[in-house]
Amino acid sequence: MNISSVNEQIQKDVIKEFDNGNFQLALSNFKKIIDIYPNIEKRYSLKGNILYRLGKVDEAIKILEEGIDKLKDIEGCYAALGYIEEKYFTNFDKAYIYYKKSIEKRPTAPVLNNLGVLYLNGNGTKQDFEKAIDYFDQALTINPKYYQACLNKGYAFFDKKQFKDALKFSLEPFITNDIYKFDDNHPAFGQFYKNILVILNTLSLNNQFHNSHSKILLPILKREIYNDQEISSILKHSIVNHIQTFLLQGYRNDAIYNAKT
């Protein structure tokens, strides 16, 4: 079996199970592959990640450090060690060091995004909004579909009370032919709609809710995937002014007909 076929098998039998939260099955499948192909590049980084998810932290750290010693997927091993330091030990200083070592070997979207979050929150380094945004942008340059970086850009501008910019960057995955089209059929919809709803509520509270925003809100209303608190500001401050827009777009709901200021 050539390297391409091996990678396909890893994707199918290991990473897919990992992504679905089936960590024990992912580990069992990976061990079978390693028995046949012991020199797989991600042998240490991937196994370390799986072991960590299984709660075997010491074992995970040991195998990741072994991978670094053996020069196997060094950037992946450093990235995983950084993640463990950040999420398990909350040792942000060490996490920062490991993430930096990882991108020095090879920049990857997840690690650049993680560094951006550290700068955004001032964890392990001095808080720096501009550097945080730069790291999120670098992550998206490498992988435009690494949507978490878009979300984090939105969070960053929201924290700065730049709400229109927060909405703009939260909608980046939904750009088609230079036009924003927030569509509930988009694969990123489920990941983004709650954050977008928070921003729309905040715009409403600040009297900045416009017809263009009502079009963004419509897919969320159609799916009825919200609770009263999540939409309270829009109901109170904006829907009365935009009932016509919703009705013209075919939306019917008691929240529209009974909206009161």
Side-chain angles (χ1 to χ4, degrees), residues 190 192-205 209 217 220-221 223-236 239:
F192 276 78
Y193 81 87
K194 285 189 176 182
N195 188 50
I196 288 171
L197 193 54
V198 169
I199 298 170
L200 291 175
N201 263 294
T202 306
L203 286 168
S204 182
L205 280 169
F209 191 96
L217 178 64
I220 300 174
L221 294 178
R223 291 273 293 271
E224 298 189 357
I225 45 177
Y226 56 85
N227 58 46
D228 291 343
Q229 185 175 1
E230 288 174 325
I231 202 171
S232 60
S233 298
I234 295 171
L235 287 174
K236 183 176 181 181
I239 279 189

Side-chain angles (χ1 to χ4, degrees), residues 209-219 221-222 238-252 256:
F209 191 96
H210 303 298
N211 272 336
S212 59
H213 299 143
S214 68
K215 294 175 183 178
I216 296 168
L217 178 64
L218 186 65
L221 294 178
K222 281 183 175 178
S238 301
I239 279 189
V240 168
N241 296 324
H242 298 276
I243 286 178
Q244 191 65 29
T245 301
F246 290 117
L247 294 179
L248 286 173
Q249 294 180 73
Y251 181 70
R252 301 290 189 275
I256 297 296

